[in-house]
PDB file of all heavy atoms in Angstrom:
ATOM      1  N   TRP A 676      -1.987  16.212  15.771  1.00 87.00           N
ATOM      2  CA  TRP A 676      -2.862  16.708  14.712  1.00 87.00           C
ATOM      3  C   TRP A 676      -3.224  15.596  13.727  1.00 87.00           C
ATOM      4  O   TRP A 676      -4.322  15.588  13.168  1.00 87.00           O
ATOM      5  CB  TRP A 676      -2.193  17.859  13.965  1.00 87.00           C
ATOM      6  CG  TRP A 676      -2.139  19.134  14.739  1.00 87.00           C
ATOM      7  CD1 TRP A 676      -1.054  19.682  15.360  1.00 87.00           C
ATOM      8  CD2 TRP A 676      -3.233  20.022  14.985  1.00 87.00           C
ATOM      9  NE1 TRP A 676      -1.391  20.858  15.980  1.00 87.00           N
ATOM     10  CE2 TRP A 676      -2.734  21.092  15.759  1.00 87.00           C
ATOM     11  CE3 TRP A 676      -4.578  20.026  14.632  1.00 87.00           C
ATOM     12  CZ2 TRP A 676      -3.532  22.150  16.177  1.00 87.00           C
ATOM     13  CZ3 TRP A 676      -5.377  21.074  15.046  1.00 87.00           C
ATOM     14  CH2 TRP A 676      -4.865  22.121  15.811  1.00 87.00           C
ATOM     15  N   LEU A 677      -2.319  14.671  13.514  1.00 86.00           N
ATOM     16  CA  LEU A 677      -2.566  13.574  12.566  1.00 86.00           C
ATOM     17  C   LEU A 677      -3.746  12.733  13.008  1.00 86.00           C
ATOM     18  O   LEU A 677      -4.532  12.261  12.168  1.00 86.00           O
ATOM     19  CB  LEU A 677      -1.306  12.695  12.444  1.00 86.00           C
ATOM     20  CG  LEU A 677      -1.391  11.533  11.457  1.00 86.00           C
ATOM     21  CD1 LEU A 677      -1.583  12.048  10.033  1.00 86.00           C
ATOM     22  CD2 LEU A 677      -0.126  10.670  11.538  1.00 86.00           C
ATOM     23  N   MET A 678      -3.911  12.526  14.297  1.00 85.00           N
ATOM     24  CA  MET A 678      -5.021  11.722  14.799  1.00 85.00           C
ATOM     25  C   MET A 678      -6.370  12.370  14.468  1.00 85.00           C
ATOM     26  O   MET A 678      -7.372  11.686  14.297  1.00 85.00           O
ATOM     27  CB  MET A 678      -4.885  11.538  16.313  1.00 85.00           C
ATOM     28  CG  MET A 678      -3.684  10.687  16.724  1.00 85.00           C
ATOM     29  SD  MET A 678      -3.799   8.995  16.100  1.00 85.00           S
ATOM     30  CE  MET A 678      -5.174   8.397  17.063  1.00 85.00           C
ATOM     31  N   LEU A 679      -6.401  13.707  14.383  1.00 84.00           N
ATOM     32  CA  LEU A 679      -7.633  14.407  14.033  1.00 84.00           C
ATOM     33  C   LEU A 679      -7.896  14.377  12.529  1.00 84.00           C
ATOM     34  O   LEU A 679      -9.007  14.641  12.087  1.00 84.00           O
ATOM     35  CB  LEU A 679      -7.558  15.869  14.497  1.00 84.00           C
ATOM     36  CG  LEU A 679      -7.376  16.094  16.002  1.00 84.00           C
ATOM     37  CD1 LEU A 679      -7.220  17.589  16.278  1.00 84.00           C
ATOM     38  CD2 LEU A 679      -8.565  15.529  16.774  1.00 84.00           C
ATOM     39  N   TYR A 680      -6.862  14.065  11.767  1.00 87.00           N
ATOM     40  CA  TYR A 680      -6.940  14.122  10.301  1.00 87.00           C
ATOM     41  C   TYR A 680      -7.607  12.894   9.700  1.00 87.00           C
ATOM     42  O   TYR A 680      -8.384  12.994   8.748  1.00 87.00           O
ATOM     43  CB  TYR A 680      -5.522  14.286   9.745  1.00 87.00           C
ATOM     44  CG  TYR A 680      -5.421  14.365   8.240  1.00 87.00           C
ATOM     45  CD1 TYR A 680      -5.611  15.577   7.584  1.00 87.00           C
ATOM     46  CD2 TYR A 680      -5.120  13.236   7.482  1.00 87.00           C
ATOM     47  CE1 TYR A 680      -5.506  15.656   6.201  1.00 87.00           C
ATOM     48  CE2 TYR A 680      -5.009  13.306   6.109  1.00 87.00           C
ATOM     49  CZ  TYR A 680      -5.205  14.520   5.477  1.00 87.00           C
ATOM     50  OH  TYR A 680      -5.100  14.589   4.113  1.00 87.00           O
ATOM     51  N   VAL A 681      -7.317  11.735  10.269  1.00 87.00           N
ATOM     52  CA  VAL A 681      -7.651  10.473   9.618  1.00 87.00           C
ATOM     53  C   VAL A 681      -9.156  10.281   9.431  1.00 87.00           C
ATOM     54  O   VAL A 681      -9.621   9.933   8.336  1.00 87.00           O
ATOM     55  CB  VAL A 681      -7.056   9.287  10.416  1.00 87.00           C
ATOM     56  CG1 VAL A 681      -7.475   7.961   9.790  1.00 87.00           C
ATOM     57  CG2 VAL A 681      -5.536   9.397  10.468  1.00 87.00           C
ATOM     58  N   ALA A 682      -9.938  10.506  10.492  1.00 88.00           N
ATOM     59  CA  ALA A 682     -11.370  10.204  10.431  1.00 88.00           C
ATOM     60  C   ALA A 682     -12.082  11.036   9.361  1.00 88.00           C
ATOM     61  O   ALA A 682     -12.865  10.509   8.557  1.00 88.00           O
ATOM     62  CB  ALA A 682     -12.014  10.447  11.797  1.00 88.00           C
ATOM     63  N   ILE A 683     -11.803  12.348   9.314  1.00 89.00           N
ATOM     64  CA  ILE A 683     -12.481  13.210   8.347  1.00 89.00           C
ATOM     65  C   ILE A 683     -11.971  12.939   6.935  1.00 89.00           C
ATOM     66  O   ILE A 683     -12.732  13.015   5.960  1.00 89.00           O
ATOM     67  CB  ILE A 683     -12.297  14.689   8.736  1.00 89.00           C
ATOM     68  CG1 ILE A 683     -12.971  14.934  10.090  1.00 89.00           C
ATOM     69  CG2 ILE A 683     -12.856  15.628   7.682  1.00 89.00           C
ATOM     70  CD1 ILE A 683     -12.857  16.346  10.594  1.00 89.00           C
ATOM     71  N   TYR A 684     -10.712  12.578   6.810  1.00 91.00           N
ATOM     72  CA  TYR A 684     -10.164  12.210   5.497  1.00 91.00           C
ATOM     73  C   TYR A 684     -10.887  10.982   4.944  1.00 91.00           C
ATOM     74  O   TYR A 684     -11.297  10.961   3.774  1.00 91.00           O
ATOM     75  CB  TYR A 684      -8.672  11.937   5.635  1.00 91.00           C
ATOM     76  CG  TYR A 684      -7.986  11.553   4.344  1.00 91.00           C
ATOM     77  CD1 TYR A 684      -7.655  12.532   3.405  1.00 91.00           C
ATOM     78  CD2 TYR A 684      -7.674  10.230   4.065  1.00 91.00           C
ATOM     79  CE1 TYR A 684      -7.015  12.189   2.223  1.00 91.00           C
ATOM     80  CE2 TYR A 684      -7.040   9.877   2.889  1.00 91.00           C
ATOM     81  CZ  TYR A 684      -6.712  10.856   1.967  1.00 91.00           C
ATOM     82  OH  TYR A 684      -6.095  10.512   0.804  1.00 91.00           O
ATOM     83  N   MET A 685     -11.080   9.971   5.770  1.00 93.00           N
ATOM     84  CA  MET A 685     -11.790   8.765   5.349  1.00 93.00           C
ATOM     85  C   MET A 685     -13.263   9.060   5.083  1.00 93.00           C
ATOM     86  O   MET A 685     -13.865   8.514   4.156  1.00 93.00           O
ATOM     87  CB  MET A 685     -11.653   7.675   6.418  1.00 93.00           C
ATOM     88  CG  MET A 685     -10.231   7.211   6.647  1.00 93.00           C
ATOM     89  SD  MET A 685      -9.457   6.553   5.138  1.00 93.00           S
ATOM     90  CE  MET A 685     -10.498   5.115   4.839  1.00 93.00           C
ATOM     91  N   PHE A 686     -13.854   9.953   5.883  1.00 93.00           N
ATOM     92  CA  PHE A 686     -15.253  10.324   5.662  1.00 93.00           C
ATOM     93  C   PHE A 686     -15.434  10.981   4.304  1.00 93.00           C
ATOM     94  O   PHE A 686     -16.422  10.722   3.605  1.00 93.00           O
ATOM     95  CB  PHE A 686     -15.728  11.277   6.760  1.00 93.00           C
ATOM     96  CG  PHE A 686     -17.076  11.880   6.473  1.00 93.00           C
ATOM     97  CD1 PHE A 686     -18.240  11.170   6.720  1.00 93.00           C
ATOM     98  CD2 PHE A 686     -17.182  13.165   5.935  1.00 93.00           C
ATOM     99  CE1 PHE A 686     -19.489  11.722   6.446  1.00 93.00           C
ATOM    100  CE2 PHE A 686     -18.419  13.724   5.656  1.00 93.00           C
ATOM    101  CZ  PHE A 686     -19.577  12.995   5.909  1.00 93.00           C
ATOM    102  N   GLY A 687     -14.497  11.864   3.916  1.00 92.00           N
ATOM    103  CA  GLY A 687     -14.597  12.539   2.624  1.00 92.00           C
ATOM    104  C   GLY A 687     -14.629  11.553   1.466  1.00 92.00           C
ATOM    105  O   GLY A 687     -15.404  11.715   0.521  1.00 92.00           O
ATOM    106  N   ILE A 688     -13.802  10.512   1.536  1.00 94.00           N
ATOM    107  CA  ILE A 688     -13.776   9.493   0.483  1.00 94.00           C
ATOM    108  C   ILE A 688     -15.077   8.705   0.466  1.00 94.00           C
ATOM    109  O   ILE A 688     -15.701   8.498  -0.585  1.00 94.00           O
ATOM    110  CB  ILE A 688     -12.573   8.550   0.683  1.00 94.00           C
ATOM    111  CG1 ILE A 688     -11.267   9.345   0.622  1.00 94.00           C
ATOM    112  CG2 ILE A 688     -12.579   7.434  -0.355  1.00 94.00           C
ATOM    113  CD1 ILE A 688     -10.051   8.535   0.992  1.00 94.00           C
TER     114      ILE A 688
END
Side-chain angles (χ1 to χ4, degrees):
W676 287 104
L677 182 63
M678 293 297 292
L679 300 176
Y680 180 84
V681 176
I683 297 180
Y684 180 78
M685 297 301 296
F686 170 80
I688 300 172

